[in-house]
Amino acid sequence: LSGAGISAESGISTFRDSNGLWENHKIEDVASPEGWHRNKSLVLDFYNQRRRQLFDVEPNKAHFLLKDLENHFEVNIITQNVDDLHERAGSSNVMHLHGQLRKSRSTQNPSLVYDQMDDINLGDTAEDGSQLRPHIVWFGEGVPMIPNAIEWVQQADIMLVIGTSMQVYPAAGLTEYLPSNAQLFVINPDDNLSFGDSNTHHIKAKATEGMSELFEMLVKK
Ligand code: OAD
């Protein structure tokens, strides 16, 4: 399970760290259905900027090591991230819980989803004639992929939780579905992150360093 912290070393801001995205933007303005109804231009501009940034960033060692783990394990990645860095690192099985920047969708019909490399502008429409919106799960909206994510966690022998503050549900509740004999590893430099479970192995490091350490441990085993 990955969060914004895995992409931090690629140069993408996290949400809740100091100077994170939610310090400079109001969630209710740019990441809620109400914000969208109030000011579509503001919301489109926010995600257009995030999408443009993807042209300037690259996957980092943590993304690549997750890909390399596929040589030794069956790896399924559940990500809360809306960037495409896991895919660009070559990971085969990536599930986006909160949507994807490089997709857009109809405002009327959530199943009309399109590839979107460039800006979405006011007046850009889906084939049903409705305004296109970012393919992002906003606060207050359902998380349609969560049952599939739960299924992956229930089948895991090892779970890695990398670079997430575990503050946003339902994603933060996924570890509860881990079988009791499975191992849980957390990579996060934050000392205060608590999983309340003595079986959790917390590697207090940045994603690239923590993944290098964990890769050695898992592959040597
Ligand atoms: P947060 O910004 O809440 O948390 C980022 C976490 O990454 C923090 O726990 C940091 O300690 C950690 N971190 C920072 N730098 C790191 C690094 N180099 N290596 C490893 N960890 C690092 O981001 P998320 O938990 O991903 O949703 O946030 C969850 C959701 O909240 C997002 O998907 C987004 C946001 O609102 C939507 O927009 C729908």
Short mmCIF file of all heavy atoms in Angstrom, two decimals, residues 55-86:
data_model
loop_
_atom_site.label_atom_id
_atom_site.label_comp_id
_atom_site.label_asym_id
_atom_site.label_seq_id
_atom_site.Cartn_x
_atom_site.Cartn_y
_atom_site.Cartn_z
N PHE A 55 5.17 15.43 -16.27
CA PHE A 55 6.16 15.47 -17.35
C PHE A 55 7.57 15.72 -16.80
O PHE A 55 8.56 15.45 -17.47
CB PHE A 55 5.82 16.56 -18.37
CG PHE A 55 4.64 16.23 -19.25
CD1 PHE A 55 3.44 16.93 -19.13
CD2 PHE A 55 4.72 15.21 -20.19
CE1 PHE A 55 2.35 16.62 -19.94
CE2 PHE A 55 3.64 14.90 -21.02
CZ PHE A 55 2.45 15.61 -20.89
N ASP A 56 7.66 16.29 -15.59
CA ASP A 56 8.96 16.70 -15.05
C ASP A 56 9.52 15.73 -14.01
O ASP A 56 10.58 15.99 -13.46
CB ASP A 56 8.84 18.08 -14.36
CG ASP A 56 8.38 19.14 -15.32
OD1 ASP A 56 8.74 19.05 -16.50
OD2 ASP A 56 7.63 20.05 -14.88
N VAL A 57 8.80 14.70 -13.66
CA VAL A 57 9.28 13.82 -12.58
C VAL A 57 9.47 12.39 -13.11
O VAL A 57 8.91 12.01 -14.14
CB VAL A 57 8.28 13.81 -11.39
CG1 VAL A 57 8.19 15.18 -10.75
CG2 VAL A 57 6.92 13.28 -11.80
N GLU A 58 10.27 11.66 -12.37
CA GLU A 58 10.60 10.27 -12.75
C GLU A 58 10.38 9.37 -11.54
O GLU A 58 10.49 9.83 -10.41
CB GLU A 58 12.10 10.16 -13.13
CG GLU A 58 12.53 11.00 -14.33
CD GLU A 58 11.96 10.48 -15.63
OE1 GLU A 58 11.60 9.28 -15.68
OE2 GLU A 58 11.87 11.28 -16.59
N PRO A 59 10.11 8.09 -11.79
CA PRO A 59 10.04 7.16 -10.65
C PRO A 59 11.38 7.14 -9.92
O PRO A 59 12.42 7.41 -10.53
CB PRO A 59 9.79 5.78 -11.30
CG PRO A 59 9.45 6.05 -12.72
CD PRO A 59 9.93 7.42 -13.08
N ASN A 60 11.38 6.84 -8.64
CA ASN A 60 12.63 6.77 -7.88
C ASN A 60 12.95 5.31 -7.54
O ASN A 60 12.22 4.38 -7.91
CB ASN A 60 12.57 7.67 -6.64
CG ASN A 60 11.50 7.23 -5.66
OD1 ASN A 60 11.44 6.06 -5.30
ND2 ASN A 60 10.65 8.16 -5.23
N LYS A 61 14.03 5.13 -6.80
CA LYS A 61 14.52 3.78 -6.50
C LYS A 61 13.46 2.93 -5.79
O LYS A 61 13.41 1.71 -5.96
CB LYS A 61 15.78 3.90 -5.64
CG LYS A 61 16.54 2.63 -5.52
CD LYS A 61 17.89 2.85 -4.85
CE LYS A 61 18.61 1.53 -4.72
NZ LYS A 61 19.78 1.64 -3.84
N ALA A 62 12.63 3.57 -4.96
CA ALA A 62 11.61 2.80 -4.24
C ALA A 62 10.60 2.20 -5.23
O ALA A 62 10.21 1.02 -5.11
CB ALA A 62 10.90 3.70 -3.22
N HIS A 63 10.17 3.00 -6.20
CA HIS A 63 9.26 2.47 -7.23
C HIS A 63 9.94 1.32 -7.99
O HIS A 63 9.33 0.27 -8.22
CB HIS A 63 8.87 3.55 -8.24
CG HIS A 63 8.13 4.73 -7.68
ND1 HIS A 63 8.74 5.93 -7.43
CD2 HIS A 63 6.82 4.90 -7.33
CE1 HIS A 63 7.85 6.80 -6.96
NE2 HIS A 63 6.68 6.19 -6.87
N PHE A 64 11.23 1.53 -8.35
CA PHE A 64 11.91 0.50 -9.15
C PHE A 64 12.14 -0.79 -8.35
O PHE A 64 12.04 -1.88 -8.89
CB PHE A 64 13.24 1.04 -9.70
CG PHE A 64 13.06 2.02 -10.84
CD1 PHE A 64 13.47 3.34 -10.73
CD2 PHE A 64 12.47 1.60 -12.04
CE1 PHE A 64 13.30 4.24 -11.78
CE2 PHE A 64 12.28 2.50 -13.09
CZ PHE A 64 12.70 3.82 -12.97
N LEU A 65 12.42 -0.65 -7.05
CA LEU A 65 12.64 -1.86 -6.25
C LEU A 65 11.35 -2.66 -6.09
O LEU A 65 11.37 -3.89 -6.03
CB LEU A 65 13.24 -1.50 -4.88
CG LEU A 65 14.73 -1.14 -4.92
CD1 LEU A 65 15.20 -0.61 -3.56
CD2 LEU A 65 15.58 -2.34 -5.34
N LEU A 66 10.21 -1.96 -6.05
CA LEU A 66 8.93 -2.69 -6.00
C LEU A 66 8.74 -3.49 -7.28
O LEU A 66 8.22 -4.61 -7.26
CB LEU A 66 7.77 -1.72 -5.79
CG LEU A 66 7.60 -1.20 -4.37
CD1 LEU A 66 6.54 -0.10 -4.32
CD2 LEU A 66 7.22 -2.33 -3.41
N LYS A 67 9.15 -2.92 -8.38
CA LYS A 67 9.09 -3.65 -9.66
C LYS A 67 10.03 -4.86 -9.60
O LYS A 67 9.66 -5.98 -9.97
CB LYS A 67 9.47 -2.69 -10.81
CG LYS A 67 10.01 -3.35 -12.05
CD LYS A 67 8.96 -4.16 -12.76
CE LYS A 67 9.55 -4.92 -13.95
NZ LYS A 67 8.71 -6.02 -14.36
N ASP A 68 11.25 -4.64 -9.08
CA ASP A 68 12.24 -5.73 -9.01
C ASP A 68 11.76 -6.86 -8.09
O ASP A 68 12.14 -8.02 -8.29
CB ASP A 68 13.60 -5.21 -8.52
CG ASP A 68 14.24 -4.28 -9.53
OD1 ASP A 68 13.77 -4.24 -10.69
OD2 ASP A 68 15.19 -3.55 -9.15
N LEU A 69 10.95 -6.53 -7.09
CA LEU A 69 10.43 -7.59 -6.20
C LEU A 69 9.61 -8.62 -6.97
O LEU A 69 9.44 -9.74 -6.52
CB LEU A 69 9.55 -6.98 -5.10
CG LEU A 69 10.20 -6.48 -3.82
CD1 LEU A 69 9.12 -6.02 -2.84
CD2 LEU A 69 11.07 -7.56 -3.17
N GLU A 70 9.13 -8.22 -8.15
CA GLU A 70 8.33 -9.16 -8.95
C GLU A 70 9.17 -10.36 -9.41
O GLU A 70 8.62 -11.39 -9.78
CB GLU A 70 7.73 -8.45 -10.17
CG GLU A 70 6.65 -7.45 -9.79
CD GLU A 70 5.98 -6.79 -11.01
OE1 GLU A 70 6.13 -7.28 -12.14
OE2 GLU A 70 5.31 -5.76 -10.80
N ASN A 71 10.51 -10.23 -9.38
CA ASN A 71 11.36 -11.37 -9.73
C ASN A 71 11.36 -12.43 -8.64
O ASN A 71 11.83 -13.54 -8.84
CB ASN A 71 12.81 -10.91 -9.97
CG ASN A 71 12.91 -9.96 -11.13
OD1 ASN A 71 12.14 -10.08 -12.09
ND2 ASN A 71 13.82 -9.01 -11.06
N HIS A 72 10.84 -12.07 -7.46
CA HIS A 72 10.92 -12.97 -6.31
C HIS A 72 9.55 -13.26 -5.70
O HIS A 72 9.39 -14.24 -4.99
CB HIS A 72 11.82 -12.35 -5.22
CG HIS A 72 13.15 -11.93 -5.74
ND1 HIS A 72 14.23 -12.78 -5.78
CD2 HIS A 72 13.59 -10.76 -6.28
CE1 HIS A 72 15.27 -12.15 -6.31
NE2 HIS A 72 14.90 -10.92 -6.62
N PHE A 73 8.59 -12.39 -5.90
CA PHE A 73 7.26 -12.51 -5.28
C PHE A 73 6.18 -12.15 -6.29
O PHE A 73 6.46 -11.50 -7.29
CB PHE A 73 7.13 -11.52 -4.10
CG PHE A 73 8.11 -11.72 -2.99
CD1 PHE A 73 9.33 -11.06 -2.98
CD2 PHE A 73 7.81 -12.57 -1.91
CE1 PHE A 73 10.25 -11.23 -1.95
CE2 PHE A 73 8.72 -12.73 -0.88
CZ PHE A 73 9.94 -12.08 -0.89
N GLU A 74 4.95 -12.54 -5.95
CA GLU A 74 3.82 -11.99 -6.69
C GLU A 74 3.49 -10.65 -6.00
O GLU A 74 3.20 -10.63 -4.81
CB GLU A 74 2.62 -12.94 -6.58
CG GLU A 74 1.44 -12.48 -7.38
CD GLU A 74 0.20 -13.36 -7.13
OE1 GLU A 74 0.35 -14.55 -6.76
OE2 GLU A 74 -0.90 -12.81 -7.27
N VAL A 75 3.59 -9.57 -6.73
CA VAL A 75 3.44 -8.24 -6.13
C VAL A 75 2.20 -7.54 -6.66
O VAL A 75 2.03 -7.37 -7.87
CB VAL A 75 4.69 -7.35 -6.44
CG1 VAL A 75 4.54 -5.97 -5.79
CG2 VAL A 75 5.97 -8.03 -5.97
N ASN A 76 1.33 -7.15 -5.75
CA ASN A 76 0.17 -6.34 -6.09
C ASN A 76 0.29 -5.01 -5.38
O ASN A 76 0.45 -4.97 -4.16
CB ASN A 76 -1.12 -7.02 -5.63
CG ASN A 76 -1.44 -8.26 -6.45
OD1 ASN A 76 -1.17 -8.29 -7.65
ND2 ASN A 76 -1.99 -9.27 -5.81
N ILE A 77 0.22 -3.92 -6.11
CA ILE A 77 0.36 -2.60 -5.50
C ILE A 77 -0.99 -1.90 -5.43
O ILE A 77 -1.66 -1.71 -6.44
CB ILE A 77 1.35 -1.73 -6.31
CG1 ILE A 77 2.74 -2.38 -6.28
CG2 ILE A 77 1.41 -0.30 -5.73
CD1 ILE A 77 3.79 -1.65 -7.06
N ILE A 78 -1.37 -1.55 -4.21
CA ILE A 78 -2.54 -0.70 -4.01
C ILE A 78 -1.97 0.68 -3.72
O ILE A 78 -1.22 0.85 -2.76
CB ILE A 78 -3.37 -1.16 -2.80
CG1 ILE A 78 -3.79 -2.63 -2.96
CG2 ILE A 78 -4.59 -0.26 -2.59
CD1 ILE A 78 -4.30 -3.26 -1.66
N THR A 79 -2.28 1.66 -4.55
CA THR A 79 -1.73 2.99 -4.28
C THR A 79 -2.84 4.01 -4.08
O THR A 79 -3.89 3.95 -4.74
CB THR A 79 -0.77 3.46 -5.39
OG1 THR A 79 -0.16 4.69 -4.98
CG2 THR A 79 -1.44 3.66 -6.74
N GLN A 80 -2.57 4.92 -3.12
CA GLN A 80 -3.48 6.05 -2.95
C GLN A 80 -3.06 7.18 -3.88
O GLN A 80 -3.73 8.21 -3.96
CB GLN A 80 -3.42 6.55 -1.51
CG GLN A 80 -3.87 5.51 -0.50
CD GLN A 80 -3.49 5.92 0.92
OE1 GLN A 80 -4.20 6.68 1.58
NE2 GLN A 80 -2.37 5.43 1.40
N ASN A 81 -1.92 7.00 -4.54
CA ASN A 81 -1.38 8.09 -5.36
C ASN A 81 -2.09 8.19 -6.69
O ASN A 81 -2.50 7.18 -7.27
CB ASN A 81 0.12 7.89 -5.58
CG ASN A 81 0.89 7.94 -4.28
OD1 ASN A 81 0.35 8.40 -3.26
ND2 ASN A 81 2.12 7.46 -4.28
N VAL A 82 -2.15 9.43 -7.17
CA VAL A 82 -2.81 9.66 -8.46
C VAL A 82 -1.77 9.87 -9.56
O VAL A 82 -2.13 10.07 -10.73
CB VAL A 82 -3.81 10.84 -8.37
CG1 VAL A 82 -4.95 10.47 -7.43
CG2 VAL A 82 -3.15 12.13 -7.89
N ASP A 83 -0.47 9.81 -9.19
CA ASP A 83 0.56 9.88 -10.23
C ASP A 83 0.68 8.50 -10.89
O ASP A 83 0.02 7.54 -10.51
CB ASP A 83 1.91 10.35 -9.62
CG ASP A 83 2.49 9.36 -8.59
OD1 ASP A 83 2.58 8.16 -8.90
OD2 ASP A 83 2.86 9.79 -7.48
N ASP A 84 1.57 8.44 -11.91
CA ASP A 84 1.72 7.17 -12.66
C ASP A 84 3.12 6.59 -12.49
O ASP A 84 3.61 5.89 -13.37
CB ASP A 84 1.38 7.39 -14.14
CG ASP A 84 2.26 8.46 -14.79
OD1 ASP A 84 3.09 9.10 -14.07
OD2 ASP A 84 2.13 8.66 -16.02
N LEU A 85 3.75 6.88 -11.35
CA LEU A 85 5.16 6.49 -11.20
C LEU A 85 5.33 4.98 -10.99
O LEU A 85 6.34 4.42 -11.42
CB LEU A 85 5.84 7.30 -10.08
CG LEU A 85 5.90 8.81 -10.36
CD1 LEU A 85 6.67 9.53 -9.25
CD2 LEU A 85 6.54 9.11 -11.71
N HIS A 86 4.36 4.31 -10.37
CA HIS A 86 4.48 2.84 -10.27
C HIS A 86 4.43 2.21 -11.67
O HIS A 86 5.21 1.32 -11.98
CB HIS A 86 3.33 2.26 -9.44
CG HIS A 86 3.48 2.47 -7.96
ND1 HIS A 86 4.56 2.04 -7.24
CD2 HIS A 86 2.64 3.07 -7.06
CE1 HIS A 86 4.39 2.35 -5.95
NE2 HIS A 86 3.25 2.98 -5.82
#
